[in-house]
Amino acid sequence: MSKLGSLGARLYRGEVGYDFVGKRKIWYGISILITITAIVGLAVRGLNMGIEFEGGAVFTTPKTSVSVAQAEKYAEEASGHDAVVQELGSGGLRIQVAGVDTAKSDQIKADLAKDMDLKANTINADLVGPSWGEQISKKAWTGLVIFMVLVVIYLAIAFEWRMALAALIALIHDITITVGVYALVGFEVTQGTIIGLLTILGYSLYDTVVVFDSLKEQSKDLTKQTRWTYSEVANRSINSTLVRSINTTVVALLPVAGLLFIGGGFLGAGMLNDISLSLFVGLAAGAYSSIFIATPLVADLKETEPQMKALKKRVLAKRAAAAAKGESVESAPQDEDDEPQDDVDQDAAPAGVVGPRTQPASRGRGRGRPSGKRR
């Protein structure tokens, strides 16, 4: 078994672990700092909206020896606006200039032909109106709101409203960071960006739902025992799914990184850059938020319940009594109302409470038989 596989098995059994939930204030602080940075970047720099959203002209040239930087300079001198130039696979250039009308477009086309030593009729000019981008934006926002409402309803039914609320906060956290990165980096927002943003919504929730499912199983009938608090069981759920989350995230990030750094960076495919950057940031933020934000938030919300508060008090009191007697928590006798649960391993230590595992008590098993053995 590989080291990672062995570590995953030990994490799953609770033999090792990291106290994610216990140090949640650190993660909350980091997330708040990143989110504030993203919001400030968005407010100060704003988004570099593409031509589809602001309107303008797109000029496509035939194969030319003019470099991208030279073409950008020519286009900006001819139009008086910022220009975005991309090299095409055919050897031609795609030049975008925002905020120009038909008359201005004809004049830019003539100037470009002169500066780039091309015939004017070989340069293709297309005008793009801002209405298309507005329609796409409205549909994207509508889709986003509907998606969030459906997700909250589904998670509230499948799990509970606290998990739905935590997942929604984590989702907003991921989207805010992704949009903030676009503002800070200055990448152009195009229809590819919208596609990437809508795609990461599902990825962002995937790991969160996996952890929640594990937590739901491990916290079933939790109040009938006095060994572990809800936060400790939540931490165990994170650790038991940690390797799986890392594996799925790395596997998803590798092809996206290939698109971003090779397809977009070296080959100059602009649309690949637009989609892959939003996917790359969103996937990384989604994996982070499922571990460091969503589940700790659920633990905080859950432990506001009176029964969970009472459970925590009983657990701490029992540990204090065991410590006073010089006993370990594992060796301390269970309360009379404690019953072993199939879904809560009484002897499996939550992450951060590492120790040897003992066999679970088989209360009632073999009752009435002198040998205690099954027939």
PDB file of all heavy atoms in Angstrom, residues 36 104 128 221 225 246 270 314 333:
ATOM      1  N   ILE A  36     -11.868  39.699   2.223  1.00  0.00           N
ATOM      2  CA  ILE A  36     -11.782  41.169   2.246  1.00  0.00           C
ATOM      3  C   ILE A  36     -10.846  41.655   1.136  1.00  0.00           C
ATOM      4  O   ILE A  36     -11.142  42.642   0.447  1.00  0.00           O
ATOM      5  CB  ILE A  36     -11.300  41.645   3.631  1.00  0.00           C
ATOM      6  CG1 ILE A  36     -12.397  41.411   4.674  1.00  0.00           C
ATOM      7  CG2 ILE A  36     -10.923  43.127   3.582  1.00  0.00           C
ATOM      8  CD1 ILE A  36     -11.971  41.752   6.090  1.00  0.00           C
ATOM      9  N   LYS A 104     -16.274  54.477 -36.527  1.00  0.00           N
ATOM     10  CA  LYS A 104     -14.950  54.367 -35.911  1.00  0.00           C
ATOM     11  C   LYS A 104     -14.288  53.063 -36.302  1.00  0.00           C
ATOM     12  O   LYS A 104     -13.053  52.994 -36.500  1.00  0.00           O
ATOM     13  CB  LYS A 104     -15.100  54.449 -34.386  1.00  0.00           C
ATOM     14  CG  LYS A 104     -13.782  54.517 -33.625  1.00  0.00           C
ATOM     15  CD  LYS A 104     -13.082  55.847 -33.813  1.00  0.00           C
ATOM     16  CE  LYS A 104     -11.842  55.966 -32.962  1.00  0.00           C
ATOM     17  NZ  LYS A 104     -11.128  57.236 -33.209  1.00  0.00           N
ATOM     18  N   VAL A 128     -19.758  44.111 -32.163  1.00  0.00           N
ATOM     19  CA  VAL A 128     -20.471  43.371 -31.122  1.00  0.00           C
ATOM     20  C   VAL A 128     -21.170  44.380 -30.227  1.00  0.00           C
ATOM     21  O   VAL A 128     -20.536  45.300 -29.694  1.00  0.00           O
ATOM     22  CB  VAL A 128     -19.491  42.523 -30.276  1.00  0.00           C
ATOM     23  CG1 VAL A 128     -20.248  41.758 -29.200  1.00  0.00           C
ATOM     24  CG2 VAL A 128     -18.716  41.573 -31.165  1.00  0.00           C
ATOM     25  N   ASP A 221     -27.397   9.421  16.465  1.00  0.00           N
ATOM     26  CA  ASP A 221     -27.571   9.019  17.875  1.00  0.00           C
ATOM     27  C   ASP A 221     -26.368   9.395  18.726  1.00  0.00           C
ATOM     28  O   ASP A 221     -25.987   8.665  19.646  1.00  0.00           O
ATOM     29  CB  ASP A 221     -27.822   7.508  17.970  1.00  0.00           C
ATOM     30  CG  ASP A 221     -29.116   7.102  17.293  1.00  0.00           C
ATOM     31  OD1 ASP A 221     -30.050   7.924  17.278  1.00  0.00           O
ATOM     32  OD2 ASP A 221     -29.191   5.975  16.781  1.00  0.00           O
ATOM     33  N   GLN A 225     -24.116   8.770  23.770  1.00  0.00           N
ATOM     34  CA  GLN A 225     -22.801   8.427  24.293  1.00  0.00           C
ATOM     35  C   GLN A 225     -22.178   9.662  24.953  1.00  0.00           C
ATOM     36  O   GLN A 225     -22.702  10.765  24.815  1.00  0.00           O
ATOM     37  CB  GLN A 225     -21.907   7.880  23.171  1.00  0.00           C
ATOM     38  CG  GLN A 225     -21.767   8.799  21.972  1.00  0.00           C
ATOM     39  CD  GLN A 225     -20.727   9.865  22.157  1.00  0.00           C
ATOM     40  OE1 GLN A 225     -19.592   9.584  22.519  1.00  0.00           O
ATOM     41  NE2 GLN A 225     -21.101  11.113  21.915  1.00  0.00           N
ATOM     42  N   ILE A 246      -8.365  15.329  -1.203  1.00  0.00           N
ATOM     43  CA  ILE A 246      -7.107  15.731  -1.840  1.00  0.00           C
ATOM     44  C   ILE A 246      -6.964  15.050  -3.197  1.00  0.00           C
ATOM     45  O   ILE A 246      -6.598  15.683  -4.201  1.00  0.00           O
ATOM     46  CB  ILE A 246      -5.918  15.390  -0.921  1.00  0.00           C
ATOM     47  CG1 ILE A 246      -5.966  16.258   0.339  1.00  0.00           C
ATOM     48  CG2 ILE A 246      -4.596  15.591  -1.658  1.00  0.00           C
ATOM     49  CD1 ILE A 246      -4.927  15.890   1.379  1.00  0.00           C
ATOM     50  N   GLY A 270      -6.974  32.127 -25.954  1.00  0.00           N
ATOM     51  CA  GLY A 270      -7.623  33.023 -25.016  1.00  0.00           C
ATOM     52  C   GLY A 270      -8.816  32.432 -24.313  1.00  0.00           C
ATOM     53  O   GLY A 270      -8.990  32.588 -23.105  1.00  0.00           O
ATOM     54  N   ARG A 314     -21.437  17.040  29.389  1.00  0.00           N
ATOM     55  CA  ARG A 314     -21.264  15.705  29.967  1.00  0.00           C
ATOM     56  C   ARG A 314     -19.904  15.115  29.597  1.00  0.00           C
ATOM     57  O   ARG A 314     -19.238  14.491  30.416  1.00  0.00           O
ATOM     58  CB  ARG A 314     -22.379  14.771  29.479  1.00  0.00           C
ATOM     59  CG  ARG A 314     -23.761  15.123  29.984  1.00  0.00           C
ATOM     60  CD  ARG A 314     -24.688  13.900  29.907  1.00  0.00           C
ATOM     61  NE  ARG A 314     -24.759  13.346  28.582  1.00  0.00           N
ATOM     62  CZ  ARG A 314     -25.611  13.730  27.637  1.00  0.00           C
ATOM     63  NH1 ARG A 314     -26.451  14.721  27.899  1.00  0.00           N
ATOM     64  NH2 ARG A 314     -25.629  13.153  26.454  1.00  0.00           N
ATOM     65  N   PRO A 333     -15.499   4.161  32.815  1.00  0.00           N
ATOM     66  CA  PRO A 333     -16.743   3.436  32.539  1.00  0.00           C
ATOM     67  C   PRO A 333     -17.760   4.340  31.846  1.00  0.00           C
ATOM     68  O   PRO A 333     -17.809   5.536  32.075  1.00  0.00           O
ATOM     69  CB  PRO A 333     -17.227   3.029  33.939  1.00  0.00           C
ATOM     70  CG  PRO A 333     -16.604   4.028  34.865  1.00  0.00           C
ATOM     71  CD  PRO A 333     -15.279   4.341  34.281  1.00  0.00           C
TER      72      PRO A 333
END
